[in-house]
Amino acid sequence: MTFFQDGPVLGNQYLGDSLLRSVLSRLLPPPLLAEVEPDLIRFGGRVAADLPGMAADAERNAPRLVSFDPWGRRIDRIEVAEGWKRLEAVAAEEGLVATGYERRYGPLSRVVQFAKLYLYTPSSAIFTCPLAMTDGAARLIEVHGDADLRERVLPRLVSRDPGLFWTSGQWMTERTGGSDVGTSETVARREGETWRLFGDKWFTSAATSPMAMTLARIEEGGRSVPGSRGLSLFYLETVGADGGPNGIRVHRLKDKLGTKALPTAELTLDGTEARLVGVPGAGVKQISTLFNLTRIYNAISAVSLMRRGIALSRDWARRRTAFGKRLFEHPLFVETLAGLEVELHAAFQLTFHLVALMGKVECGTATEEEAAEMRLLTPLTKLSTAKQGVAVASEVLETFGGAGYVEETGLPVLLRDAQVLAIWEGTTDVLSLDALRAIRKERALEPLLRGAAVRAGSVRSPRLGEASARVRQAVEALSAHARRMADDAELAEASARSFALGLSRVTAASLMLQHADWCEANGGDPRASMAAARWCARPLANLVDAEKGHRAESRALAMDEPPGRA
Ligand code: MFK
């Protein structure tokens, strides 16, 4: 063997990211950028230096359930890798949750926080999952918690001290349904002043967290209210007052496609002491405060995995020689990678726009319309970025040829971890239906589409004129389809996914145009314009015209049935 190839090398992940830097330059006033940038530069170096080793250790040493002690007593202890514990300490020290609650930068605190999460996630073995639930629980307690939770628990969730920092679980999924939460069977019974929970939780992520938010059906006199209206929100701690496991039995850890370092358990609550949070029967609505936030974390994770894959591929393109020249000298390779970069720009703009809106809503500086826009953009951004994340990760692996399929290169984990983003926190279909819920209940469509049309219409650069016109046409097509959906519930449901993807793509397009215009006016970097023009040249609103005949055909095709049933 005479030939050996070099693997890709990661440089400073802040300094090397022109997109992140230009978006932060637009979103943050110069004095604020000057204040936070040294920290981002330092952290951009750290995520390429010591964090990957921690993540590799966490991936290599998957969590392990120890059910019994040497003398036969049931202990149900989940052991996690040193690397996983260190990633938790890093998260606390770096203020990855805290920054959002200290609100030192007012409504822009979330932008600063999410820039750091974006740097952290691909080097974290998805420790971002517990962080997402922790942040969601913190927000939930801020909004719905009582004085004790606010004074005793909230400071731990938002602490920068690894010794005090707590992560939280979000135990929603039962065997009856990950999507159909209203069928949950766990019950809550009152014993004096104490609530006790009884039931099985089927997918509990970050099961080593000291606390969790969960749902249970209050049972009185053996009776309870069925459906999601019967579910209430409960707070529990995983260590009881006696130092024991608080009635929690862990049956096994899930053997998953990815997120290998993350302990995900099946467990039973058998008399677990818990505390009712908020209003009985409003559990699903209240816990949506938490899962709407984890859905935004999902989006930043998708974007960050895309970016990491592209960064590795780009570095590789400069090193790898094939057919007598470097990969970046091959026109077809360059086309493929440029296409991935365009996807990244779209997902990035959508996600950071949503994050900026979240900051405004939480600080009370958002208008009602912006709050409605945030409600709708949350499922839209989650579902579209997750789909892009999987597709981009798959393409990135392919750019490496066989090396992309070999575990030791550290590349396959990108695809395995991206795949879950389209599943947990609501699948693409469930989120498409949630977008319809937001449109019906919050009247969120009009502000969203108006915003997109205004941004597209405000573009000054002549080279973006055609792109701007395409966005405005797509807005019209989506508005027309929405009018048809309002009159036909079945059509609305059957076309919900293509409609949601269309809304996401059009909103992303308008944000890309806005950013491109800003870049041209501020220093003249043309890459944002190039990406925007290419994105807008693709089909934006590819709507499925799901009228009755179409639905009957879909049924025949999907179920391989003779035509005629609908
Ligand atoms: C790296 C990133 C890491 C992310 C962390 C990953 C950790 C993984 C942990 C998990 O996966 S936990 C499980 C996540 N599970 C889900 O996300 C559930 C998916 N299913 C849904 O979201 C369904 O749409 C839902 C359960 C909400 C449907 O239930 P229902 O019973 O049909 O709901 P319904 O009756 O429409 O809504 C009940 C109330 O909640 C209504 O309010 P009202 O009482 O005022 O009418 C709804 O408007 C409200 N609601 C529902 N979804 C909402 C919402 N409000 C605000 N935002 C939403 N998204």
Side-chain angles (χ1 to χ4, degrees), residues 121 126 128-130 132-133 170-173 178-182 203 205 227-229 262 284-286 288-289 291-292 294-295 297-299 301 375 379 421 423-427 430-431 434 437 441-442:
T121 297
I126 316 296
T128 312
C129 167
M133 299 187 292
Q170 167 200 4
W171 297 355
M172 285 174 68
T173 304
S179 299
D180 189 3
V181 173
F203 256 94
S205 297
S228 60
R229 311 268 155 203
L262 173 71
V284 172
K285 190 175 175 59
Q286 288 176 173
S288 73
T289 304
F291 65 60
N292 282 337
T294 51
R295 288 172 182 175
Y297 267 76
N298 206 86
S301 301
R375 169 68 183 93
L421 300 175
I423 298 174
W424 66 12
E425 295 304 335
T427 60
V430 164
L431 291 165
D434 186 50
R437 188 191 277 113
K441 291 194 67 173
E442 321 286 335

Side-chain angles (χ1 to χ4, degrees), residues 161-311:
D161 177 350
L164 288 178
F165 183 57
W166 271 9
T167 57
S168 174
Q170 167 200 4
W171 297 355
M172 285 174 68
T173 304
E174 301 198 4
R175 281 194 292 263
T176 45
S179 299
D180 189 3
V181 173
T183 55
S184 297
E185 293 175 330
T186 297
V187 295
R189 296 187 190 123
R190 198 166 188 158
E191 290 176 9
E193 286 305 296
T194 305
W195 287 101
R196 293 198 180 276
L197 309 186
F198 299 85
D200 299 312
K201 297 289 173 182
W202 182 238
F203 256 94
T204 57
S205 297
T208 45
S209 294
M211 59 165 280
M213 291 291 182
T214 194
L215 296 172
R217 206 173 292 289
I218 291 178
E219 199 179 72
E220 277 166 325
R223 284 203 303 273
S224 58
V225 178
S228 60
R229 311 268 155 203
L231 288 171
S232 301
L233 178 61
F234 286 88
Y235 161 87
L236 64 82
E237 291 180 12
T238 50
V239 177
D242 60 356
N246 193 13
I248 300 170
R249 270 182 296 151
V250 183
H251 301 299
R252 58 176 168 161
L253 296 180
K254 298 282 192 191
D255 184 7
K256 298 161 292 177
L257 172 67
T259 62
K260 296 279 189 191
L262 173 71
T264 306
E266 288 171 25
L267 49 84
T268 291
L269 308 177
D270 187 12
T272 302
E273 196 174 324
R275 180 196 296 233
L276 179 66
V277 180
V279 182
V284 172
K285 190 175 175 59
Q286 288 176 173
I287 207 166
S288 73
T289 304
L290 192 165
F291 65 60
N292 282 337
L293 188 40
T294 51
R295 288 172 182 175
I296 303 175
Y297 267 76
N298 206 86
I300 199 72
S301 301
V303 176
S304 72
L305 291 180
M306 282 185 234
R307 156 69 197 167
R308 176 60 58 87
I310 291 170

Side-chain angles (χ1 to χ4, degrees), residues 273-511:
E273 196 174 324
R275 180 196 296 233
L276 179 66
V277 180
V279 182
V284 172
K285 190 175 175 59
Q286 288 176 173
I287 207 166
S288 73
T289 304
L290 192 165
F291 65 60
N292 282 337
L293 188 40
T294 51
R295 288 172 182 175
I296 303 175
Y297 267 76
N298 206 86
I300 199 72
S301 301
V303 176
S304 72
L305 291 180
M306 282 185 234
R307 156 69 197 167
R308 176 60 58 87
I310 291 170
L312 290 168
S313 207
R314 190 173 283 145
D315 185 76
W316 165 253
R318 293 199 178 95
R319 294 171 192 277
R320 171 71 164 151
T321 299
F323 302 105
K325 50 189 178 181
R326 301 289 165 92
L327 290 184
F328 74 87
E329 292 166 321
H330 289 276
L332 182 51
F333 184 91
V334 167
E335 280 307 310
T336 303
L337 199 51
L340 302 185
E341 180 72 7
V342 173
E343 291 285 340
L344 171 64
H345 276 242
F348 192 102
Q349 295 294 352
L350 200 56
T351 303
F352 271 88
H353 176 66
L354 174 58
V355 166
L357 277 178
M358 168 168 60
K360 288 176 90 175
V361 168
E362 289 179 353
C363 289
T365 59
T367 62
E368 247 175 60
E369 292 209 330
E370 285 174 320
E373 188 187 347
M374 178 191 159
R375 169 68 183 93
L376 175 54
L377 265 183
T378 300
L380 294 180
T381 306
K382 192 281 190 187
L383 74 89
S384 59
T385 56
K387 283 292 185 210
Q388 289 174 288
V390 178
V392 169
S394 173
E395 287 284 359
V396 161
L397 263 54
E398 199 177 324
T399 64
F400 286 90
Y405 203 63
V406 171
E407 286 290 348
E408 276 171 300
T409 61
L411 294 164
V413 69
L414 288 171
L415 180 58
R416 290 194 270 107
D417 287 351
Q419 183 64 61
V420 77
L421 300 175
I423 298 174
W424 66 12
E425 295 304 335
T427 60
T428 310
D429 284 355
V430 164
L431 291 165
S432 301
L433 298 174
D434 186 50
L436 295 189
R437 188 191 277 113
I439 289 169
R440 282 195 203 110
K441 291 194 67 173
E442 321 286 335
R443 304 196 171 281
L445 185 62
E446 212 188 295
L448 185 82
L449 287 180
R450 192 166 350 103
V454 167
R455 278 188 292 271
S458 311
V459 165
R460 286 156 296 178
S461 164
R463 64 196 283 194
L464 295 172
E466 198 183 320
S468 157
R470 283 180 56 79
V471 173
R472 281 174 287 147
Q473 279 159 15
V475 167
E476 286 305 317
L478 287 161
S479 299
H481 192 77
R483 286 193 288 277
R484 289 182 58 207
M485 289 168 90
D487 295 335
D488 183 343
E490 274 190 56
L491 172 105
E493 185 171 333
S495 59
R497 181 194 275 238
S498 65
F499 185 63
L501 286 168
L503 291 176
S504 313
R505 295 178 69 82
V506 162
T507 308
S510 71
L511 292 162

